[in-house]
Structure formats: structure tokens, C-alpha cells
């Protein structure tokens, strides 16, 4: 079977997926864990030992902007969400075969006592109001130019620009990340522009 455990919000969100090959598996049928973000794979690991017919303890943790998946107490995936989840739903699904859940528990620490200053523009982004979100991100970037959060909002402003098909502006915003701790995001952002412009297949 192919059991998977997932966490989504109303906008699609992130879905950790655990794939276990059947006993009659072929060479290409390998066990792996992966993370699907808004329908796109962002992480995958093949170095996991999983077999059908066995019991596994799965744990998904969402702490702020960090999402992780552990199997039998061993962390397999860890991902930093640029746009942290806001929903409170968990889904357990099976693509093939069957899976039995002997126990299922959801623990919550409740609503945070304070909100990040990114909460409002992130919400605008998730609602598809990219122009409004971009303006708020730019204001935050000017207010916190020397902080990690200030660099993060430059990245998010660039993502808004790509959603608005304003690739020239997005290029400038991503380029501002070059040589910073978000340098890798500069490369990812420029690659995204290339996809939009049709320069990358």
C-alpha cells in the first residue's frame, strides 16, 4: 500500500507524504518520504527503511514556520515555510491499498499570544491580494533593513511581483538578496522568473 499523512490549510498548504512499496514491488518501487507544497514537491528522501505490513509511529510538527515529519522518532523531513500555515486540519489518506491507524492524536498549544508583523501581509498573499501584500512587505523591508525578517520580506515582495507577472520588478527584488543569508533564495527567485518568461523548461 501507499499510506500518506498530510497537513493542509484551506489554501492547499503543505502535505508530508510517506510512500511504502508493496511486497510485490519492482526495482523502481522504492520507499520514500516527501513534502508537497501547494501541489509541488519541495523535499524528498529515499534513505528510509520502510516495509509494508509493519507498524510505524508518524509525527508531524508545525511550530511557527517550521514543519517536520518524524518516523519512529527519527526526523525525516524538516522544512521552513515562507508562508506559515494558518489552518488546523490534519488529513490521513491512502492512495493505494489500506492503512490502519491504531491511534491518532492532535495536540495544540492554542492561539499565539502575539502575532508576527508578517501575519497581515502573509494573509493578503494567501488570499491572492498580491499588490496589497507587496506594498506591506516593502514597508517592512524599509523598517527592518538589517534584520533577517527584513530580508525575508524582500523575498516575499519578489514572489508577489512574480504572481503579478511583474518580472522586471521581481528581478530587482531577488537580486537584492545576492550575497546575503538568503542568497540561495535569489537563485530560486531568478529561476522562477525564467520559468515565467519561458527561458527555463
Amino acid at each position: 500500500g501507499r499510506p500518506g499523512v498530510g497537513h493542509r490549510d484551506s489554501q492547499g498548504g503543505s502535505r508530508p507524504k510517506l510512500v511504502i512499496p508493496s511486497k510485490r514491488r519492482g526495482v523502481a518501487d522504492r520507499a520514500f518520504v516527501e513534502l508537497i507544497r501547494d501541489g509541488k514537491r519541495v523535499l524528498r528522501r529515499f534513505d528510509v527503511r520502510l516495509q509494508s505490513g509493519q507498524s510505524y509511529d508518524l509525527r508531524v510538527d508545525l511550530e511557527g514556520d517550521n514543519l517536520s515529519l518524524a518516523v519512529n522518532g527519527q526526523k525525516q523531513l524538516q522544512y521552513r515555510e515562507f508562508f506559515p500555515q494558518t489552518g488546523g486540519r490534519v488529513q490521513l489518506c491512502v492512495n493505494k491499498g489500506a492503512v490502519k491507524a491504531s491511534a491518532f492524536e492532535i495536540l495544540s498549544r492554542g492561539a499565539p499570544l502575539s502575532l508576527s508583523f508578517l501575519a497581515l501581509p502573509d494573509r493578503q498573499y494567501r488570499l491572492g491580494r498580491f499588490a496589497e501584500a507587496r506594498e506591506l512587505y516593502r514597508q517592512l523591508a524599509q523598517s527592518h533593513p538589517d534584520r533577517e525578517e527584513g530580508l525575508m520580506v524582500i523575498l516575499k515582495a519578489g514572489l508577489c511581483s512574480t504572481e503579478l507577472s511583474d518580472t522586471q520588478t521581481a528581478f530587482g527584488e531577488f537580486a537584492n538578496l545576492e550575497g546575503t543569508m538568503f542568497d540561495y533564495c535569489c537563485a530560486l527567485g531568478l529561476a522562477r522568473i525564467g520559468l515565467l518568461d519561458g527561458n527555463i523548461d
Side-chain angles (χ1 to χ4, degrees):
R2 294 177 178 264
V5 57
H7 181 288
R8 295 170 178 261
D9 66 7
S10 59
Q11 285 74 38
S14 296
R15 180 165 58 95
K17 182 179 180 183
L18 178 73
V19 174
I20 303 175
S22 62
K23 292 182 178 179
R24 299 173 58 185
R25 60 183 182 276
V27 176
D29 197 4
R30 301 168 56 191
F32 63 86
V33 292
E34 66 180 9
L35 179 66
I36 308 298
R37 183 70 168 98
D38 293 330
K40 299 177 182 178
R41 183 190 307 125
V42 294
L43 286 176
R44 175 180 276 190
R45 286 186 61 174
F46 284 100
D47 57 335
V48 290
R49 295 179 178 274
L50 302 170
Q51 294 180 336
S52 61
Q54 302 296 317
S55 296
Y56 297 98
D57 178 52
L58 307 182
R59 174 169 176 162
V60 178
D61 285 305
L62 180 63
E63 184 74 28
D65 59 359
N66 289 299
L67 178 69
S68 64
L69 168 69
V71 180
N72 289 346
Q74 298 292 318
K75 188 175 292 184
Q76 300 293 341
L77 296 177
Q78 185 163 0
Y79 181 71
R80 181 175 184 182
E81 298 272 11
F82 287 139
F83 297 93
Q85 306 295 301
T86 59
R89 294 187 297 167
V90 176
Q91 180 186 52
L92 182 67
C93 61
V94 183
N95 295 337
K96 275 186 178 182
V99 64
K100 178 182 178 182
S102 58
F104 195 91
E105 185 177 26
I106 300 177
L107 300 177
S108 173
R109 296 182 181 179
L113 296 177
S114 60
L115 291 177
S116 165
F117 62 76
L118 292 172
L120 177 57
D122 283 353
R123 176 173 174 78
Q124 297 287 74
Y125 183 94
R126 285 192 294 267
L127 292 174
R129 299 169 182 168
F130 303 116
E132 294 90 337
R134 182 171 65 175
E135 181 58 31
L136 291 172
Y137 288 136
R138 287 173 174 172
Q139 292 175 17
L140 292 170
Q142 293 174 0
S143 301
H144 307 282
D146 300 322
R147 293 176 52 180
E148 178 182 350
E149 293 86 349
L151 296 173
M152 173 68 79
V153 293
I154 293 175
L155 166 65
K156 293 186 174 186
L159 294 175
C160 289
S161 294
T162 59
E163 293 290 349
L164 294 167
S165 299
D166 187 357
T167 55
Q168 184 174 356
T169 300
F171 182 90
E173 287 162 334
F174 291 136
N176 286 333
L177 298 172
E178 190 172 4
T180 71
M181 67 177 68
F182 285 94
D183 188 80
Y184 71 99
C185 292
C186 170
L188 292 174
L190 295 179
R192 185 166 182 168
I193 292 173
L195 288 171
L196 288 175
D197 288 343
N199 298 323
I200 300 177
D201 297 325

